[in-house]
Amino acid sequence: MDESHVEGDLVDILYSEKQIQDRLAELAQQIETDYEGRELLLVGVLKGAVMVMADLARQFNRHVEMDWMAISSYGAGTKSSGVVRILKDLDTDINGRHVLVVEDIIDTGLTLSWLVSNLSSRGPASVEICTLLRKPEAQQMTVDVKYVGYDIPDEFVVGYGLDFNERYRNLRSIGTLAPHVYS
Ligand code: IMP
C-alpha cells in the first residue's frame, strides 16, 4: 500500500519506494564486486527484513542463496535488551560459507551483536552485515556493519517491513510514525 492509505499516521515520509530501490541497487552492486568469485549466502532476520531481502536479492546479477532466522529479543518497551532466543534457526550449515546478514534496521545493535557472535561460532568463512537503516546509537557498537543503506535520526519509523504492533509492514515507503498512533 502507499501513504494515502495511512494518511495522518505518518509525520513524514523518510524514503520513497524509489529511493529505497535505488539505494538497494547501489548496495547490491557493491556487494557483487566485493564477493566476486565467492558463493554468497544471504541470511534474513524475520520478519522485518523480508522486503529488504526480496528486493536486494533481485538486484543481483549472480546466484545467491537465501536462508532465514527468526529470533525474539526481550526488551523493555521499544528497546531491546540483547537477550535473544532463536525461534527458527537456519536450514543451512554455514560452516565454510560466506554469510551476509540482511537486516531492516539496527537500533541499539544488541540483537545483531548476539546474532553475529552466534553465527561466527558455527565456523563460517566470513560474516558481514547489510542493513537498510541504521540509528545513531548503533554507530557506537563494536560489530562492524559493512553495508548501510541510510543513517537515520533516532525516531520510530515504519513501513517496508518495519512495523508498529504488526501494522505498516506492507507500506511501500518508510515514514516516521505520528506520536498519536503510539501514545
Ligand atoms: P536493536 O537490538 O536495538 O538493534 O533492535 C533492532 C530491532 O528493533 C529491529 O530489528 C526492529 O525489529 C526493532 N526496531 C528498532 N527500531 C525500530 C523502528 O524505528 N521501527 C520499527 N522497528 C524498530
Side-chain angles (χ1 to χ4, degrees):
M1 71 179 167
D2 63 36
E3 304 92 69
S4 66
H5 296 94
V6 290
E7 227 172 328
D9 290 5
L10 303 179
V11 180
D12 178 23
I13 304 297
L14 271 187
Y15 299 106
S16 67
E17 184 177 14
K18 168 119 179 28
Q19 285 173 309
I20 295 167
Q21 297 306 330
D22 288 351
R23 188 68 186 116
L24 288 179
E26 288 172 1
L27 289 176
Q29 206 163 43
Q30 201 186 332
I31 293 164
E32 250 187 67
T33 307
D34 293 352
Y35 285 88
E36 208 182 325
R38 291 184 288 167
E39 297 279 311
L40 179 58
L41 174 68
L42 304 177
V43 168
V45 183
L46 295 169
K47 307 171 198 169
V50 166
M51 310 296 176
V52 185
M53 178 73 117
D55 289 336
L56 180 74
R58 283 181 291 181
Q59 293 285 352
F60 289 116
N61 294 311
R62 54 159 291 169
H63 290 293
V64 290
E65 285 180 40
M66 287 177 257
D67 203 348
W68 299 92
M69 274 182 91
I71 55 184
S72 86
S73 79
Y74 299 102
T78 55
K79 288 284 176 188
S80 72
S81 62
V83 181
V84 174
R85 190 162 58 103
I86 297 179
L87 303 176
K88 186 228 168 281
D89 208 340
L90 297 173
D91 298 330
T92 317
D93 177 2
I94 62 168
N95 187 26
R97 304 290 309 267
H98 292 284
V99 174
L100 180 63
V101 176
V102 176
E103 266 284 20
D104 49 354
I105 191 165
I106 309 174
D107 181 4
T108 62
L110 287 169
T111 310
L112 202 63
S113 298
W114 178 91
L115 185 64
V116 167
S117 72
N118 180 287
L119 294 177
S120 299
S121 73
R122 305 181 194 195
S126 67
V127 180
E128 298 290 354
I129 300 154
C130 174
T131 186
L132 179 62
L133 305 176
R134 180 171 66 176
K135 288 191 186 176
E137 213 176 316
Q139 292 180 36
Q140 280 130 47
M141 67 189 252
T142 48
V143 177
D144 187 39
V145 183
K146 193 158 183 190
Y147 308 99
V148 178
Y150 295 108
D151 277 306
I152 63 164
D154 193 10
E155 288 169 331
F156 198 82
V157 295
V158 293
Y160 199 69
L162 292 157
D163 75 307
F164 174 68
N165 284 349
E166 296 301 324
R167 300 179 82 174
Y168 308 98
R169 287 195 200 274
N170 61 324
L171 190 61
R172 291 176 185 275
S173 53
I174 293 170
T176 310
L177 201 60
H180 76 82
V181 178
Y182 54 84
S183 58

